[in-house]
Amino acid sequence: AQSVTQPDIHITVSEGASLELRCNYSYGATPYLFWYVQSPGQGLQLLLKYFSGDTLVQGIKGFEAEFKRSQSSFNLRKPSVHWSDAAEYFCAVGAPRGAQKLVFGQGTRLTINP
Amino acid sequence: DGGITQSPKYLFRKEGQNVTLSCEQNLNHDAMYWYRQDPGQGLRLIYYSQIVNDFQKGDIAEGYSVSREKKESFPLTVTSAQKNPTAFYLCASSITSGASYEQFFGPGTRLTVL
């Protein structure tokens, strides 16, 4: 069965500092991978996705993520965070074909210190 | 603008009552999904539908029911059989073919049982 682990429930960084949010997945083959962001009381917005090809993917708002098959990881990074990046971030995994069901991690809440 | 609408934004229900949450999309997506979100648990799939008049149970379908009579609409009924219905409910939609099937989310409905 597919599963996603986000080891960090809550992360605090200073504005302007770099950020890395961790995501590990369990899946029998190369899955489709996603990062979503959620502001309080809102729906989810897609930041980026990986299906195939270049393992470093660029997303919106200056985010990027790197797929590492050997580590079953898909970590999200940003070189310099802004106060507006404070939100909850979800990693998700889906099958390459079929029912398009997504399995989500528990989320990482990001707090930005001024 | 294309998107997903959910109504109402806030919903209060007395114990023992059924309540229906609305989800409408104008993205011309074939697939629609309902998720439940609880603090610290990420998103869990309740039901999903890939085509009109057909739907499948997700991981936590007990106490919920859905219908898909129109492509644009996928209402969720929270029945009195759902033991702990207080949660944030998110509706999503996606395409079902092609290489990119990320899910697009609505703004959510917060249900509180009094």
Side-chain angles (χ1 to χ4, degrees):
Chain A
Q2 303 167 37
S3 67
V4 177
T5 301
Q6 294 179 246
D8 304 304
I9 296 174
H10 184 206
I11 285 182
T12 299
V13 299
S14 298
E15 191 168 14
S18 64
L19 171 70
E20 183 169 28
L21 302 182
R22 296 182 290 165
C23 172
N24 293 99
Y25 68 89
S26 174
Y27 189 72
T30 301
Y32 282 5
L33 294 160
F34 307 84
W35 273 101
Y36 284 87
V37 62
Q38 183 183 35
S39 297
Q42 302 296 317
L44 276 66
Q45 180 184 22
L46 180 70
L47 284 175
L48 46 77
K49 61 192 176 188
Y50 172 79
F51 291 150
S52 64
D54 192 346
T55 57
L56 183 64
V57 293
Q58 302 298 320
I60 62 171
K61 305 185 180 189
F63 285 92
E64 66 177 25
E66 186 172 13
F67 169 61
K68 292 186 177 180
R69 184 192 307 272
S70 61
Q71 298 178 19
S72 297
S73 70
F74 189 55
N75 294 348
L76 182 71
R77 300 194 294 248
K78 186 170 185 179
S80 176
V81 298
H82 186 262
W83 64 266
S84 60
D85 293 324
E88 189 141 22
Y89 293 80
F90 292 93
C91 181
V93 61
R97 290 177 179 82
Q100 293 88 38
K101 293 168 57 178
L102 294 184
V103 174
F104 286 82
Q106 293 179 309
T108 297
R109 183 162 60 93
L110 175 64
T111 298
I112 307 295
N113 281 337
Chain B
D1 289 336
I4 301 175
T5 57
Q6 292 185 243
S7 61
K9 187 172 178 62
Y10 299 97
L11 188 56
F12 298 90
R13 188 194 91 175
K14 294 182 180 179
E15 284 193 22
Q17 288 181 337
N18 293 353
V19 63
T20 297
L21 282 60
S22 170
C23 178
E24 303 277 335
Q25 56 99 359
N26 61 3
L27 299 168
N28 199 32
H29 287 169
D30 289 310
M32 298 186 74
Y33 313 79
W34 274 105
Y35 292 91
R36 170 180 172 138
Q37 186 177 20
D38 297 281
Q41 295 195 45
L43 278 71
R44 293 181 290 168
L45 183 64
I46 305 172
Y47 269 97
Y48 66 105
S49 167
Q50 294 181 279
I51 194 169
V52 173
N53 292 322
D54 187 43
F55 47 83
Q56 288 77 43
K57 293 182 179 180
D59 301 319
I60 56 165
E62 184 176 353
Y64 300 98
S65 66
V66 293
S67 63
R68 187 86 186 277
E69 297 177 1
K70 299 187 301 181
K71 186 176 183 178
E72 302 78 18
S73 178
F74 191 41
L76 173 74
T77 296
V78 184
T79 75
S80 56
Q82 170 49 234
K83 299 302 180 188
N84 183 22
T86 294
F88 191 53
Y89 291 88
L90 288 158
C91 178
S93 70
S94 74
I95 61 173
T96 56
S97 62
S100 176
Y101 62 87
E102 66 263 32
Q103 294 181 16
F104 294 79
F105 284 81
T109 292
R110 184 166 299 281
L111 172 63
T112 302
V113 175
L114 304 173

